[in-house]
Amino acid sequence: MTSYDSDDSMSDAGSDVETSVLLGYASKEPVPHSDPFNHLGGTPTWLDASQHCPPSLVQCQTCNDYMTLLLQLNGDLPIRNGATQFLGHERRLYIWACKRKACRRKPGSIRAVRAVRVSKTLEEQDRKQEEEQKPRRDIGGSLFGGGVAIGGGGGGGGGNPFSSPSSASNPYATGASSNPFSNSFNPFSSTSSAQPPAEADTTTLDSLPQTFAQKVRISTTAPATSSTPPSPPSPWPNVTSFPSPYPHYHLDAAYEYLPPHTQKASSSSKISTNHTAFLDSQPDAESSSTSSKAQDDDEKGAYESAHDRTFQHFADTLAANPEQVLRYEFAGHPLLYSRDDAVGNLFTMLSAQTGKDRGVMTTGAGVKGMPRCGNCGAGRLFEIQLTPQAIVELEEQEDVGLDGMEWATILVGACEKDCGIAEEDKGTGKVRYLEEWCGVQWEEVVKR
């Protein structure tokens, strides 16, 4: 198994701190015990080869051309602590991007899609597994003080009875550790194929791949499914209808380790609102022009300082593990490139108005945030983030020069209820594809 160490120049040996963020790394060679479904670039595969994604979901909303796959990920969610949501759910995530230069920086040129299928057989097996694990959880709760925090996990999770940051166990080993409170599952291990048969009820629990989400210990509210019937899908376009695909990379995973000073900055500045307060403040109408100018200068300085801190934190965090192409933290916090664009404002303004820094960030009465699920109206949870290193890997074999991709990071928020499958469709093998929120922060163009 490949080792992905932090940048030694940024920290002393042995001083790094594990966080709750799971990092993905691109590999040209297959990764042992990994789910072959997960990959960067390449061409898409489906939960069921006979039920593909509706072509309209992979068309650029600017030029209407078909887009190119950036990422597909097995997003199966683990059994929740003391709850029954997502039992039997099979879940896949896709990110697509338009290759046309004219479409860059325009809405709809990068899109995210979630696939879901629900098996009653798997639901019963998951429920049985949940019951078998209850005594272990009770012991953990009594020793560590109860429940798991949203997005908790890893050394930075705090209070999670299943985290073991000081353990010497291999985080990539398959199967459970002998320590009942450790979670050493490999998120990509799988004994199943990337395309299981349409009869979802024939799939066994042991054949399910262990995924990014299963590595991250999580807790949310119970889901409800939508009864809205899907439209019959159009035929999948011929391969010649798509631009040439990006190179195919397998994915490996490891928890993030950060130098203490970077970890401290992360904790204190996840959603800083200082510059928002300065922007919202208004000069006193009765103040002299001199004092107003001084106040304006102070506000501008504070704004620029907050902007610089946000970008510097982004750069420092990525530099600690420079090979990462993917950051995964279900119901966690995005690593913002900027707080001044439309995406950054969604998260910053939400924190300023609610006084909270939460994984669930959705639009409500007087509150900005990610749009709610367009299918069931539930809130959305931040889940995936692509980093600039993904561009380096994807464009390695392309002679793009200065005409390459221009995004700084891509954020994806998914329905907190994993909706899409009606009750009567559970166990039938039906797969549903739904668009999820995709926030793109573009590289800033320096004007001189």
Side-chain angles (χ1 to χ4, degrees):
M1 179 63 62
T2 304
S3 174
Y4 300 97
D5 296 328
S6 299
D7 188 343
D8 292 337
S9 65
M10 297 190 62
S11 61
D12 296 327
S15 62
D16 290 355
V17 179
E18 184 185 13
T19 77
S20 56
V21 179
L22 193 64
L23 304 181
Y25 298 91
S27 172
K28 293 181 179 179
E29 302 298 327
V31 179
H33 309 296
S34 293
D35 182 355
F37 182 90
N38 300 305
H39 61 80
L40 187 74
T43 55
T45 51
W46 316 113
L47 269 172
D48 180 349
S50 66
Q51 300 183 67
H52 56 72
C53 175
S56 60
L57 292 182
V58 300
Q59 287 179 281
C60 174
Q61 293 179 310
T62 297
C63 69
N64 211 40
D65 282 354
Y66 291 114
M67 299 189 291
T68 307
L69 184 69
L70 296 182
L71 174 78
Q72 70 173 39
L73 195 69
N74 186 331
D76 282 350
L77 297 170
I79 298 174
R80 302 308 181 87
N81 187 30
T84 58
Q85 56 264 51
F86 304 116
L87 297 184
H89 283 222
E90 296 174 83
R91 186 172 177 270
R92 303 293 184 266
L93 302 167
Y94 305 83
I95 301 178
W96 298 77
C98 183
K99 274 192 168 184
R100 295 188 61 179
K101 185 177 180 179
C103 296
R104 292 174 190 167
R105 301 179 182 269
K106 295 183 180 178
S109 61
I110 299 180
R111 303 176 71 178
V113 176
R114 171 175 57 89
V116 61
R117 175 171 65 186
V118 180
S119 164
K120 287 190 175 181
T121 299
L122 291 178
E123 182 175 352
E124 293 171 0
Q125 292 174 330
D126 284 351
R127 199 179 301 277
K128 181 180 179 181
Q129 184 184 52
E130 172 78 1
E131 292 297 323
E132 292 173 350
Q133 292 179 354
K134 277 186 177 179
R136 182 175 295 175
R137 288 201 183 90
D138 292 340
I139 294 172
S142 64
L143 290 177
F144 296 91
V148 181
I150 289 179
N160 182 348
F162 300 99
S163 65
S164 181
S166 61
S167 171
S169 62
N170 178 1
Y172 307 108
T174 56
S177 166
S178 58
N179 177 0
F181 306 112
S182 69
N183 186 356
S184 56
F185 292 112
N186 182 339
F188 302 117
S189 64
S190 171
T191 57
S192 64
S193 64
Q195 297 182 359
E199 293 78 19
D201 285 347
T202 64
T203 309
T204 63
L205 182 63
D206 292 337
S207 71
L208 282 180
Q210 294 169 0
T211 65
F212 264 111
Q214 287 175 309
K215 276 286 278 187
V216 183
R217 279 68 70 186
I218 53 181
S219 176
T220 60
T221 55
T225 56
S226 169
S227 58
T228 305
S231 302
S234 303
W236 186 251
N238 187 282
V239 65
T240 57
S241 300
F242 288 85
S244 59
Y246 289 113
H248 181 288
Y249 290 92
H250 303 276
L251 287 176
D252 198 358
Y255 269 112
E256 177 182 52
Y257 280 83
L258 294 176
H261 66 86
T262 305
Q263 171 68 9
K264 183 177 180 180
S266 175
S267 300
S268 63
S269 64
K270 280 181 178 176
I271 304 290
S272 172
T273 58
N274 290 338
H275 74 282
T276 301
F278 279 109
L279 288 176
D280 289 342
S281 62
Q282 299 295 326
D284 187 349
E286 298 179 357
S287 299
S288 65
S289 59
T290 301
S291 61
S292 296
K293 183 178 184 303
Q295 183 179 11
D296 289 342
D297 290 342
D298 289 343
E299 292 171 4
K300 180 179 179 182
Y303 173 86
E304 291 177 348
S305 177
H307 171 80
D308 292 342
R309 286 197 304 270
T310 300
F311 174 77
Q312 193 61 52
H313 174 59
F314 178 85
D316 289 347
T317 301
L318 295 184
N321 300 276
E323 297 178 60
Q324 62 180 286
V325 298
L326 167 68
R327 299 175 62 83
Y328 187 99
E329 187 184 15
F330 188 89
H333 307 282
L335 178 64
L336 295 178
Y337 170 80
S338 170
R339 301 191 187 280
D340 310 321
D341 60 6
V343 173
N345 282 333
L346 290 182
F347 292 91
T348 302
M349 292 301 294
L350 178 72
S351 176
Q353 295 177 28
T354 64
K356 298 179 180 180
D357 181 12
R358 308 185 308 165
V360 181
M361 298 184 177
T362 56
T363 301
V367 178
K368 291 185 177 180
M370 289 185 289
R372 289 186 172 273
C373 175
N375 184 62
C376 71
R380 280 195 168 104
L381 298 167
F382 167 74
E383 185 167 1
I384 306 172
Q385 178 169 6
L386 287 181
T387 71
Q389 182 63 24
I391 298 178
V392 175
E393 304 289 355
L394 292 171
E395 294 185 342
E396 180 183 23
Q397 302 175 15
E398 299 190 6
D399 185 16
V400 295
L402 298 177
D403 293 330
M405 289 183 276
E406 298 177 357
W407 50 266
T409 188
I410 298 174
L411 315 179
V412 174
C415 176
E416 65 179 336
K417 295 184 176 181
D418 197 34
C419 72
I421 300 297
E423 187 64 33
E424 61 270 19
D425 291 329
K426 291 183 178 180
T428 65
K430 178 175 287 187
V431 180
R432 187 84 187 276
Y433 294 89
L434 303 103
E435 183 165 16
E436 292 292 8
W437 179 80
C438 188
V440 184
Q441 294 197 290
W442 302 95
E443 289 181 341
E444 293 186 355
V445 178
V446 178
K447 297 180 180 179
R448 298 187 182 277

